[in-house]
Amino acid sequence: FWGDVPFTEAGRGADDYTPAYDSQASIYDSIFVSLDRAVSIIDPEDVRTLGDADIVYAGDLDAWIKLANSLHARAAMRISFVDPTKATAELTKALSGPVFESNDDNAAVVWPGGTLANPLCLNWADADCGGTRDDQRVSKRLVDTLKVNNDPRLFAYAEPTGASQKDAPSSCDIPYRGYPNGLNTPSETNTCTGKVFSLGDYSRPTLAIRSASSPSYIMTYAEVLFIKAEAAERNLIPGDAAALYEAAITASMEQWGISSGDIADYLAQPNVAYKGGAAGLNQIAYEKWVALYNQETEAYAEWRRLDYPVLVPGPNQTPSLIPTRLPYPDIENSLNAENLAAAEAAQGSADNRRSRDASGGTPSSAAL
């Protein structure tokens, strides 16, 4: 999110209120070392596991090894444009060990419900978690894109609009409508009534995403396959990029319960069929973006890294740019100003955040 951050000296509490900032490169080096160490010290035969207290894998240590290696591959791809040599070495190392092999390996926090419900559920008045809000909707950009590609994941991601469920819906009461990003209140006019649409005219996320026991995904098999597809297309590893691309889409759709027939129909579309080269990399980036729905921090990171799909700033965004690096918290300027100033000098002021316009152009400064 920010670039350089406190890492080596972070987390010391009262012993160090002014930690130095580490470079992104050194942090990634530490991530690789930590993941290697994690794999080396996990003994799958060790009976002293957390069991059901392990809210991700219920004590399955083999699964944790797969997750560590898969995360290692993710981190390797993050640096692949700024240090391709190291990225290739780390990616090869990661993929030489066991990584995710099916959706059964997906890593997610499995919420038990009740007072320990998925936090999304706690917001919604209609999700049986005691929430009071009903002011969040699926974005217009995602809904419209899924419609263009006849993507069956639309029905897994978005609920039909409330207006479309009326006894006699009008032609304006379409089943799936996304809400424009960056608006507090609706502003689109219903041409059938001449009035501004209400929130009921826009799609909520499905209950599969926001119920009490809905899982919060950490990493999925589909992401691992997209990593392999991109790496193969860029000749970082051997492999059939087209086959891996199709397998990744299939894994994503199967994760959301899409039927085999609908998956086959989707893959058979000319605009979905893999094209290879630069066009193929854009296809991988787009499909990965779709597959990372409900993993918003990962989708944001991958969009910044791959510059695709082309996203448009919200209508009230001033200036009309999408930020690609967040400003540091104000409290850092109050409590850790000297180290903050050093970090900004090394990478550019946080007030001059890297941004892209609607053309999806390359950012003005490099980042991992």
Side-chain angles (χ1 to χ4, degrees), residues 157-177:
Y157 292 172
E159 290 182 349
T161 60
S164 70
Q165 304 305 297
K166 297 185 299 187
D167 290 337
S170 70
S171 60
C172 293
D173 298 324
I174 61 177
Y176 296 94
R177 177 184 283 112

Side-chain angles (χ1 to χ4, degrees), residues 16 47 51 60 83 101 110 114 137 144 159 174 188 190 193 212 214 230 255 266 320 322 342:
D16 189 355
V47 297
D60 185 343
D83 193 345
E101 301 174 44
V110 181
R137 296 295 186 268
D144 290 353
E159 290 182 349
I174 61 177
E188 295 178 290
N190 184 330
T193 65
S214 297
E230 179 189 344
Q255 175 188 339
Y266 181 79
S320 186
I322 301 175

Side-chain angles (χ1 to χ4, degrees), residues 122-126 131-136:
L122 301 175
N123 282 334
W124 292 89
D126 67 333
T132 58
R133 296 178 59 170
D134 185 22
D135 57 355
Q136 298 164 323

Side-chain angles (χ1 to χ4, degrees), residues 4-83:
D4 298 351
V5 293
F7 185 77
T8 305
E9 297 180 6
R12 296 180 178 179
D15 293 331
D16 189 355
Y17 286 132
T18 57
Y21 284 57
D22 293 79
S23 70
Q24 297 174 76
S26 67
I27 293 172
Y28 271 82
D29 286 344
S30 297
I31 288 171
F32 296 131
V33 170
S34 295
L35 290 169
D36 281 341
R37 181 172 181 272
V39 171
S40 72
I41 64 176
I42 294 175
D43 178 4
E45 302 302 320
D46 193 339
V47 297
R48 299 169 298 168
T49 71
L50 293 175
D52 290 342
D54 172 1
I55 60 174
V56 178
Y57 285 128
D60 185 343
L61 296 179
D62 286 305
W64 280 102
I65 291 175
K66 288 183 178 181
L67 174 58
N69 288 324
S70 299
L71 289 171
H72 199 132
R74 173 195 281 175
M77 290 306 292
R78 289 284 171 81
I79 68 169
S80 62
F81 288 117
V82 293
D83 193 345

Side-chain angles (χ1 to χ4, degrees), residues 330-347:
D330 290 338
I331 196 170
E332 280 293 283
N333 194 50
S334 299
L335 301 181
N336 198 13
E338 183 176 345
N339 287 316
L340 172 61
E344 291 187 338
Q347 62 183 348

